[in-house]
């Protein structure tokens, strides 16, 4: 596949249709993958609604210096659109964004894509058996809504006093302000998660000083990234099965590592030993090393895969403050001891409001509750991570408990898309206009799932992470192999659903 432009492809023009069979919300991997699958299933009456002015989701929004994937690229791509010429084992943000644009262009998605179209409200109409959607570009009805609105889309800023009083530039890493030149500046970095671990080494190269505020040190393991050679690219293009083998190899290696997170602990101990050795090699100063040594099990929080993060922290222009931020003042960030660190700019690498996506507050189901209100009652949960009792004809991609700690989520997204298409086929076969998962099926599924998570390192590893809610319930992660999820999603379990035909014929208005 040759990559051409970024965000310069033509999208749908003109007003939204009044009614569609399927409204897909979002144009990241989930939205684009769904659009391709709908077309392949012969469904053309669909739209992809994207609030931003171009497609790409995560890979449009996260353009910070150093942004890259942290699972190998052949695995972090669609199985139906392999790319033989990824430049690196771990590709960078511009290349992934361009890949998504190319997939959308090659598979005829763009005429269905309405950018600048924020879905601001949606209400299930239980008489007409349609979703009534309000968008920033007008209203429409849809038989079915597929949400690909993402889980890591709304930047989270820490709630510390004075944050708005800061006089210099400040921004979240997912909204990097490229108009601000940080060369020669004193920059505070708040947070040490996966994004910060990628941009801190880049900042270190140009800033006069980088002050990194670290609440909890992450575990760091080697990345061993490299550029693919010409010869490898040629082989991928010409040797039958080579590309499949590359992807298959990456898949197997990742799945084999699952035992770090879910096993009896032997593999985890092995990796912890290696990670501590890596830390020792990369950080010779024992005082700094002590600050950077985690006191919880590896894998409990997202593991950082990086060769340059720790070395960056050892540089003379970097200071690690092992403390949360307690306040922000006009020209300074204050640590927990009350020490003021004078800086010119602040970058927040403080993650996302996971699952608290705006759409959750905006979609109102059959019983008059928003998805958020429903989840406040029941805990964040869905049947097979995809459908929610009380919300007919709604499918959530990367919904509750479908995220992964060990491999590419594109695998999960594709499995869910297959399930959605199978559900649509079943509706058509049965002449059904609505389907809704039975609460009993959803609850039984989640009871089993939560049991599977109990002994994993995510729940029992001795850390606080964004994987779990305030009660400690893990609402984000899939507990086992991705092959188990793929198997589960291969068949649409109609017996878990109530399928309905129209009560009365109505023309949606
Ligand atoms: C910095 C970063 C690095 C990551 N690295 C990895 C990795 O290495 N491996 C991995 O497996 N995963 C990674 N992830 C997770 C990543 O989010 C998923 O892999 C994947 O990109 C999610 O795709 P998506 O389409 O479901 O959601 P997104 O890519 O988040 O797309 C959601 C889209 O929905 C749109 N939208 C939201 N609400 C509305 C609305 N109301 N109306 C209209 N449009 C709306 C948004 O604008 C956005 O374009 C990373 C995430 C981040 C933030």
């Amino acid at each position: 596949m040759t990559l051409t432009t970024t965000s310069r492809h033509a999208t749908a023009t003109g007003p939204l249709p009044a009614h569609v069979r399927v409204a897909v919300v979002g144009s990241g991997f989930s939205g684009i993958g769904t659009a391709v699958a709908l077309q392949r299933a012969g469904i053309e009456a669909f739209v992809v609604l994207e609030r931003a002015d171009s497609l790409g989701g995560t890979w449009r929004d996260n353009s910070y210096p150093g942004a890259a994937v942290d699972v190998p690229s052949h695995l972090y791509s669609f199985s139906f659109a392999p790319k033989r010429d990824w430049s690196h084992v771990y590709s960078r943000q511009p290349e992934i964004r361009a890949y998504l644009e190319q997939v959308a262009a090659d598979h005829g998605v763009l005429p269905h894509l309405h950018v600048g179209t924020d879905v601001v409200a949606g209400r299930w109409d239980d008489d007409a058996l349609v979703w009534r959607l309000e968008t920033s570009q007008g209203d429409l009805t849809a038989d079915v809504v597929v949400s690909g609105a993402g889980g890591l889309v709304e930047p989270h800023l820490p709630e510390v006093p004075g944050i708005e009083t800061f006089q210099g530039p400040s921004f979240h890493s997912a909204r990097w302000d490229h108009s601000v030149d940080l060369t020669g500046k004193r920059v505070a970095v708040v947070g040490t998660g996966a994004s910060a671990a990628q941009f801190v080494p880049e900042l270190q190269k140009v800033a006069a000083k980088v002050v990194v505020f670290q609440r909890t040190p992450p575990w760091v393991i080697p990345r061993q990234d490299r550029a693919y050679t010409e010869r490898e690219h040629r082989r991928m293009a010409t040797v039958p099965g080579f590309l499949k083998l590359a992807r298959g190899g990456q898949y197997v290696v990742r799945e084999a590592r699952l035992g770090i997170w879910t096993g009896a602990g032997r593999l985890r101990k092995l990796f912890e030993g290696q990670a501590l050795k890596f830390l020792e090699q990369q950080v010779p100063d024992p005082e700094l090393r002590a600050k950077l040594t985690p006191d919880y099990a590896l894998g409990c929080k997202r593991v950082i895969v990086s060769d340059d993060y720790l070395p960056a922290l050892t540089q003379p222009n970097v200071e690690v403050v092992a403390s949360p931020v307690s306040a922000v003042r006009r020209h300074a960030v204050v640590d927990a001891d009350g020490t003021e660190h004078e800086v010119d700019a602040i970058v927040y690498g403080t993650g996302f409001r996971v699952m608290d996506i705006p759409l959750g507050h905006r979609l109102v189901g059959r019983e008059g509750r928003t998805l958020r209100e429903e989840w406040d009652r029941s805990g964040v949960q869905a049947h097979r991570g995809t459908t929610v009792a009380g919300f007919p004809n709604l499918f959530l991609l990367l919904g509750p408990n479908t995220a992964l700690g060990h491999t590419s989520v594109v695998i999960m997204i594709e499995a869910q898309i297959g399930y959605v298409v199978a559900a649509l086929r079943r509706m058509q076969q049965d002449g059904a206009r609505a389907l809704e998962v039975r609460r009993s099926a959803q609850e039984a599924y989640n009871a089993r799932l939560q049991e599977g998570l109990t002994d994993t390192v995510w729940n029992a590893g001795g850390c606080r992470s964004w994987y779990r809610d305030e009660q400690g319930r893990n609402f984000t992660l899939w507990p086992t192999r991705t092959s188990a999820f793929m198997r589960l999603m291969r068949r649409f379990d109609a017996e878990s659903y109530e399928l309905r035909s129209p009560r009365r014929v109505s023309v949606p208005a």
Side-chain angles (χ1 to χ4, degrees):
M1 183 188 292
T2 326
L3 299 175
T4 48
T5 59
T6 56
S7 62
R8 267 172 251 133
H9 295 290
T11 55
T13 48
L16 289 168
H19 178 76
V20 288
R21 173 87 180 112
V22 185
V24 181
V25 184
S27 66
F29 270 93
S30 294
I32 300 300
T34 304
V36 173
L38 290 176
Q39 299 203 74
R40 288 186 168 179
I43 299 170
E44 284 293 335
F46 73 90
V47 284
V48 180
L49 308 174
E50 170 55 58
R51 66 183 180 183
D53 61 3
S54 62
L55 67 87
T58 296
W59 303 102
R60 176 201 59 236
D61 291 343
N62 291 271
S63 63
Y64 56 78
V69 76
D70 63 13
V71 294
S73 300
H74 287 299
L75 207 51
Y76 195 75
S77 20
F78 290 119
S79 60
F80 63 82
K83 177 171 146 56
R84 55 178 188 255
D85 57 354
W86 284 116
S87 64
H88 288 75
V89 176
Y90 297 90
S91 46
R92 279 65 169 160
Q93 172 263 341
E95 202 175 354
I96 308 169
R97 183 180 183 188
Y99 165 78
L100 270 178
E101 290 179 340
Q102 196 69 53
V103 171
D106 288 351
H107 290 80
V109 173
L110 298 173
H112 298 267
L113 172 64
H114 294 258
V115 293
T117 308
D118 191 4
V119 176
V120 292
R123 180 172 283 277
W124 172 251
D125 181 334
D126 209 42
D127 292 322
L129 301 182
V130 291
W131 279 97
R132 295 188 180 277
L133 300 178
E134 248 175 69
T135 83
S136 54
Q137 299 296 325
D139 299 348
L140 75 159
T141 55
D143 293 336
V144 168
V145 172
V146 179
S147 167
L152 307 180
V153 282
E154 295 304 318
H156 166 82
L157 289 178
E159 281 169 24
V160 288
I163 202 166
E164 67 298 333
T165 63
F166 186 69
Q167 293 300 294
S170 68
F171 46 83
H172 188 277
S173 60
R175 301 287 182 273
W176 195 276
D177 186 344
H178 292 278
S179 70
V180 176
D181 183 4
L182 295 172
T183 309
K185 299 281 192 305
R186 297 165 303 170
V187 186
V189 171
V190 184
T192 53
S195 298
Q198 294 184 339
F199 68 73
V200 164
E202 302 304 318
L203 266 185
Q204 182 276 322
K205 289 176 199 157
V206 298
K209 181 159 192 198
V210 182
V211 187
V212 178
F213 289 85
Q214 170 194 273
R215 206 169 48 180
T216 320
W219 282 96
V220 183
I221 60 171
R223 188 174 184 81
Q224 294 171 323
D225 189 23
R226 65 175 182 83
Y228 280 115
T229 62
E230 286 270 321
R231 191 150 165 242
E232 283 171 310
H233 281 155
R234 246 193 338 270
R235 275 198 200 148
M236 302 269 184
T238 55
V239 179
F242 194 80
L243 191 52
K244 258 199 173 142
L245 202 68
R247 183 180 164 98
Q250 291 175 350
Y251 177 78
V252 170
V253 168
R254 295 272 146 182
E255 289 296 308
R257 283 191 193 169
L258 183 67
I260 296 173
W261 289 269
T262 60
R266 275 195 301 278
L267 191 59
R268 185 162 60 249
K269 286 277 168 238
L270 187 77
F271 266 75
E272 281 181 1
Q274 286 176 358
L276 288 174
K277 215 175 267 169
F278 186 57
L279 176 65
E280 203 174 320
Q281 282 161 5
Q282 293 208 312
V283 182
D285 172 11
E287 203 179 314
L288 178 59
R289 203 161 61 231
K291 279 188 195 172
L292 300 174
T293 306
D295 64 356
Y296 57 89
L298 182 142
C300 185
K301 291 161 91 74
R302 195 165 177 95
V303 177
I304 304 302
V305 187
S306 173
D307 294 331
D308 55 3
Y309 175 60
L310 294 172
L313 300 183
T314 66
Q315 297 306 303
N317 64 337
V318 178
E319 182 187 355
V320 177
V321 178
S323 154
V325 168
S326 67
V328 174
R329 305 227 166 103
R330 287 166 61 82
H331 299 286
V333 175
V334 186
D335 67 24
D337 293 339
T339 308
E340 275 197 15
H341 301 261
E342 214 171 280
V343 289
D344 307 309
I346 307 176
V347 182
Y348 293 99
T350 38
F352 297 87
R353 283 161 37 205
V354 184
M355 300 304 297
D356 189 23
I357 52 172
L359 214 54
H361 299 269
R362 295 174 181 186
L363 294 182
V364 178
R366 186 173 50 74
E367 289 156 347
R369 281 192 292 277
T370 63
L371 195 52
R372 186 66 254 172
E373 287 163 347
E374 176 66 28
W375 282 342
D376 286 343
R377 288 159 56 111
S378 66
V380 176
Q381 58 168 280
H383 180 63
R384 301 189 172 188
T386 311
T387 50
V388 181
F391 291 79
N393 292 12
L394 172 68
F395 297 91
L396 306 175
L397 299 187
L398 285 191
N401 295 99
T402 55
L404 300 171
H406 70 293
T407 189
S408 162
V409 295
V410 178
I411 298 166
M412 305 297 273
I413 292 172
E414 285 198 50
Q416 287 188 288
I417 292 172
Y419 187 78
V420 173
V421 170
L424 295 178
R425 283 216 178 96
R426 181 63 188 245
M427 285 172 82
Q428 199 173 5
Q429 266 170 23
D430 290 11
R433 287 274 305 280
L435 62 77
E436 181 181 336
V437 69
R438 296 177 200 279
R439 201 169 286 276
S440 55
Q442 180 180 311
E443 283 171 359
Y445 170 82
N446 278 281
R448 276 195 308 278
L449 183 127
Q450 288 299 327
E451 212 178 292
L453 281 162
T454 313
D455 295 329
T456 62
V457 71
W458 302 302
N459 282 22
C463 74
R464 243 181 61 192
S465 76
W466 57 264
Y467 296 145
R468 297 195 292 157
D469 65 19
E470 271 149 27
Q471 286 71 45
R473 188 174 166 280
N474 189 325
F475 64 96
T476 56
L477 288 164
W478 172 245
T480 182
R481 294 184 189 287
T482 55
S483 54
F485 190 71
M486 288 191 273
R487 255 195 323 275
L488 183 72
M489 301 303 270
R490 205 161 284 151
R491 188 183 77 84
F492 176 67
D493 52 334
E495 65 283 4
S496 303
Y497 288 81
E498 191 187 329
L499 279 86
R500 280 190 288 157
S501 300
R503 278 188 214 143
R504 60 185 166 81
V505 178
S506 63
V507 180

